[in-house]
Amino acid sequence: MKESMNSSNQSRHFFRFHIAEFVFVILLGLSTVLLASSSGGFVLNFERIGFSIVSSLQKGVNAVSTGIGDTINAVQELSRMKKENAVLVEKLKNYEYFQRNNTEINKENERLREQLGFSTKIEQKNYPAQIIGRNTDNLYSTFTINKGSRVGIKKNMPVIAIQNGQIGLVGKIVSVGAETSMILPIFDSKCTVSARIQTTRDIGLVSGLGADDRTLSMRYIKKRVLEELNYGDTIVTSGENGNYLRDITIGTISKITVLDYDSSLDIEVVPIIDFSRLESVIVADLKELNPSLVNISN
């Protein structure tokens, strides 16, 4: 009974103690607020705190916005630069294309001027032409040109060309159409040309071995002139029999073989014309004079 009463007294005492502390704290807080409000310090601090918070938020937002804006600008700038680069690359391709075309045109004009200049100087009437087709198999080798009977070309007319500043024999006309003609080149095995060694003036026959990448063969040169011959000696057309122009270069001596069973030398000749690169030719008419020279003489 006494323990119960003591416990009740302690609880009331504890409750009163806590109420007193709570009231004290509230009063102390109110006093502090009132004091701060009266001096304006509380309001000022609040404004500063609020300003700091807002400023920090604005800085953060501004930084994020600036970062996003810079990223967007960078992406747009990169896209623009890619487009400009694509345009420049295309322009460069066009420039290189035109440069190549211009170079080719200049080379072609130079070749045509060279050809035209020579065609006006030779005594015979002639027809400059372009090769438009070729058949260079082992059985039958021909070149097709873009000129025919309509301009005056006839069968068996000799064909020459200018290549790298040198005049060389190409072959002869073997077939003629109205607008085109066919050339049998000297490297064909069926083509035989009366030829002369330019240094010794000895005459023989030059014939082809059937392919444009092979040498020509010169026969009927006597062994007695062996000591007078040298590699690199020039072989030219003799002009005899009226089949070819005189002194047109055929090629140069590359090999001389002495055959025990033959009284003649076996001479290999490298053609002066590179037939794999041949593009234009001149067909000569041995029976008519060059009109341009006739007009000058008159």
Side-chain angles (χ1 to χ4, degrees):
M1 183 68 178
K2 286 182 179 181
E3 290 180 0
S4 176
M5 291 178 63
N6 289 334
S7 177
S8 178
N9 291 333
Q10 288 178 359
S11 296
R12 284 195 297 271
H13 178 72
F14 179 78
F15 179 72
R16 283 197 300 270
F17 177 75
H18 278 282
I19 289 176
E21 287 182 346
F22 179 72
V23 171
F24 175 75
V25 170
I26 290 176
L27 292 174
L28 181 61
L30 288 174
S31 299
T32 302
V33 171
L34 291 173
L35 181 61
S37 297
S38 63
S39 61
F42 181 78
V43 175
L44 181 61
N45 290 338
F46 178 78
E47 289 178 351
R48 287 179 179 176
I49 293 171
F51 178 76
S52 297
I53 294 172
V54 172
S55 297
S56 299
L57 290 173
Q58 287 179 337
K59 286 183 179 179
V61 171
N62 183 64
V64 173
S65 299
T66 302
I68 294 174
D70 290 343
T71 302
I72 293 174
N73 290 336
V75 171
Q76 291 176 342
E77 181 67 15
L78 180 61
S79 177
R80 184 184 65 79
M81 291 177 66
K82 285 183 177 179
K83 290 179 180 179
E84 290 182 355
N85 182 65
V87 172
L88 291 175
V89 168
E90 192 63 28
K91 287 183 178 180
L92 180 60
K93 288 181 180 179
N94 291 337
Y95 174 76
E96 291 175 347
Y97 172 77
F98 286 124
Q99 279 290 97
R100 287 195 298 270
N101 278 1
N102 188 50
T103 301
E104 289 300 318
I105 290 172
N106 288 337
K107 289 181 179 179
E108 179 66 18
N109 288 339
E110 185 177 346
R111 287 193 295 267
L112 291 175
R113 281 196 299 269
E114 184 179 43
Q115 185 184 56
L116 181 61
F118 175 73
S119 67
T120 58
K121 293 178 182 178
I122 60 177
E123 295 180 359
Q124 292 77 16
K125 185 177 182 180
N126 56 83
Y127 310 92
Q130 298 292 315
I131 293 176
I132 58 174
R134 61 184 71 204
N135 177 3
T136 56
D137 58 34
N138 293 328
L139 296 176
Y140 191 63
S141 305
T142 60
F143 296 146
T144 302
I145 59 174
N146 63 345
K147 297 288 179 65
S149 60
R150 194 177 298 278
V151 298
I153 293 179
K154 299 179 180 66
K155 188 176 179 179
N156 292 324
M157 284 184 175
V159 183
I160 58 177
I162 304 173
Q163 195 176 66
N164 300 321
Q166 296 179 308
I167 302 166
L169 182 65
V170 174
K172 65 179 180 179
I173 299 294
V174 292
S175 179
V176 181
E179 303 292 343
T180 61
S181 301
M182 294 180 66
I183 301 171
L184 182 70
I186 57 175
F187 63 77
D188 189 278
S189 58
K190 295 183 290 296
C191 186
T192 301
V193 181
S194 176
R196 188 187 301 274
I197 299 174
Q198 195 172 51
T199 53
T200 67
R201 311 307 293 173
D202 289 283
I203 292 180
L205 292 178
V206 171
S207 58
L209 298 178
D212 63 353
D213 58 350
R214 298 184 63 183
T215 57
L216 308 174
S217 175
M218 187 173 191
R219 304 297 301 274
Y220 307 113
I221 300 296
K222 300 299 181 181
K223 288 181 179 179
R224 57 181 172 77
V225 300
L226 176 62
E227 298 299 325
E228 301 177 52
L229 301 180
N230 295 287
Y231 296 142
D233 284 351
T234 301
I235 308 300
V236 299
T237 55
S238 67
E240 295 184 358
N241 302 322
N243 295 327
Y244 293 93
L245 288 79
R246 184 183 179 89
D247 290 331
I248 299 297
T249 302
I250 297 174
T252 57
I253 295 176
S254 60
K255 185 178 179 180
I256 303 173
T257 303
V258 179
L259 302 174
D260 294 336
Y261 57 83
D262 198 334
S263 61
S264 299
L265 299 171
D266 183 14
I267 299 175
E268 292 185 9
V269 178
V270 177
I272 194 69
I273 295 295
D274 184 349
F275 290 94
S276 65
R277 296 183 176 181
L278 188 62
E279 298 179 52
S280 56
V281 298
I282 298 174
V283 182
D285 186 347
L286 300 182
K287 296 180 180 180
E288 291 190 41
L289 293 176
N290 192 334
S292 60
L293 295 180
V294 172
N295 293 333
I296 293 175
S297 62
N298 290 337

